[in-house]
Amino acid sequence: MRITVLGSAAGGGFPQWNCNCRNCAGVRSGAVRARSRTQSSIFVRGDAAVDGVLFNASPDILEQIRSNPALQPARAVRDTAIAGVVLMDGQVDHATGLFMLRERGSPLPLWCTDPVEQDLSQGNPVLRVLGHYCGVRRERIVPDGTPFEVSGADGLTLRAVALDSKAAPYSPHRDAPVPGDNIGVLIADRASGRSAFYAPGLGGIMPALFDLMAGADAVLVDGTFWTDDEMIRLGLSKKTARDIGHLPQSGTGGMIEWLDRLPARTRRLLIHVNNTNPILDEDSAERAQLARHRIEVCEDGMTITI
Ligand code: MLT
Ligand code: MN
Ligand code: ZN
């Protein structure tokens, strides 16, 4: 399968419009060696397929489609390679790009869990608004590992699992998480038998989840924060990474420790990187530490062939 990273940043993107942290100011001025990034989303196609699955619809989607011509195969006067959209959660950075797809001539095939469907119909009624444009053909994801296929995305089988993370702030159950607020998806190519696990928002790793990750050829997982108190130390928030559903990379029980336990053959990539994270600075000690652990940092436009 081929995975195109359309966007690799967390909510706000990088640099964030109102931010002058070391990274954001540094990438603007050129003082920090780093690449700008749009909000996280990937596009996945089977080896022989033109059409594929869009995972998350970022507010940056129009720019992402323009930068990745494979998403516009131009077989008709109106066309797209997006066979369907799968949402990992109902957060602004993953769902509001749906508005940008409203010019479709037919209802948008949209795969999401019940809690995400509810949040996007009530707290942030994106789906109701889209009903006044192309409409949505909602398909239910049950996050229990049951295999499903997105019609038109040939060769791919998906399996979703509920993750320990957080619903959007506008969700009625923001502080009382329910299974399906956030999911991870195992994407398998039936022809090659190879698979990738995608989880841009991941607050903790349980044994069953680790086993799923260990069976994949590549994992693209939560790269939001380096330290649990990153936003607090910068004076930007009162909440820890774990408070908002993101497992930090460093420290005891952090993402680096988990990724170290994966089989040697597994490709490890971080995605959904917050603009404050020191790993964005390609010359940082933290970035060098990731390299020593054979952990890659996703960049916009990169293709991962598995
Ligand atoms: C998150 O995952 O916590 C988000 O990036 C929040 C947001 O989009 O504002
Ligand atoms: Mn996010
Ligand atoms: Zn910043």
Side-chain angles (χ1 to χ4, degrees), residues 26-279:
V27 73
R28 279 190 206 103
S29 71
V32 168
R33 195 163 66 90
R35 287 172 199 243
S36 63
R37 285 166 161 85
T38 60
Q39 294 163 92
S40 73
S41 174
I42 62 172
F43 181 69
V44 185
R45 284 172 294 165
D47 285 327
V50 172
D51 295 339
V53 182
L54 179 73
F55 289 87
N56 293 326
S58 135
D60 302 315
I61 188 165
L62 297 182
E63 181 188 340
Q64 294 170 342
I65 292 172
R66 279 184 209 112
S67 309
N68 291 278
L71 271 76
Q72 180 44 266
R75 297 161 295 195
V77 65
R78 289 274 165 92
D79 196 16
T80 179
I82 300 170
V85 181
V86 173
L87 297 182
M88 315 302 290
D89 57 48
Q91 299 254 16
V92 167
D93 58 340
H94 290 160
T96 55
L98 292 173
F99 283 133
M100 304 308 138
L101 304 178
R102 66 191 178 286
E103 293 92 354
R104 283 178 60 96
S106 60
L108 174 71
L110 179 72
W111 292 80
C112 64
T113 62
D114 284 345
V116 167
E117 200 254 349
Q118 249 173 43
D119 287 348
L120 295 180
S121 303
Q122 295 165 17
N124 183 10
V126 174
L127 305 185
R128 288 193 357 229
V129 174
L130 277 176
H132 297 277
Y133 298 87
C134 61
V136 166
R137 198 188 78 220
R138 192 260 170 154
E139 306 271 2
R140 170 181 279 136
I141 294 181
V142 182
D144 63 357
T146 308
F148 62 98
E149 288 173 32
V150 172
S151 168
D154 293 338
L156 300 179
T157 297
L158 313 183
R159 286 181 179 76
V161 289
L163 299 180
D164 168 14
S165 191
K166 276 278 156 79
Y170 49 75
S171 170
H173 48 269
R174 165 77 166 178
D175 297 312
V178 299
D181 282 337
N182 302 81
I183 57 169
V185 177
L186 186 72
I187 311 157
D189 186 316
R190 291 192 297 279
S192 67
R194 294 172 70 80
S195 62
F197 179 72
Y198 180 55
L202 180 52
I205 299 182
M206 302 298 151
L209 174 61
F210 181 77
D211 291 346
L212 195 71
M213 288 168 62
D217 297 283
V219 297
L220 286 83
V221 290
D222 192 327
T224 315
F225 298 114
W226 179 256
T227 44
D228 202 32
D229 62 353
E230 189 166 314
M231 298 289 278
I232 298 173
R233 268 204 266 168
L234 289 166
L236 299 176
S237 169
K238 292 187 164 53
K239 294 192 166 152
T240 65
R242 286 182 169 91
D243 283 340
I244 58 167
H246 299 291
L247 181 68
Q249 283 106 59
S250 65
T252 308
M255 188 65 86
I256 296 174
E257 282 190 0
W258 282 105
L259 295 181
D260 270 345
R261 290 184 206 136
L262 290 172
R265 64 175 178 84
T266 313
R267 199 163 160 191
R268 307 116 204 254
L269 300 108
L270 298 175
I271 192 161
H272 189 275
V273 184
N274 198 56
N275 61 80
T276 52
N277 192 326
I279 64 175

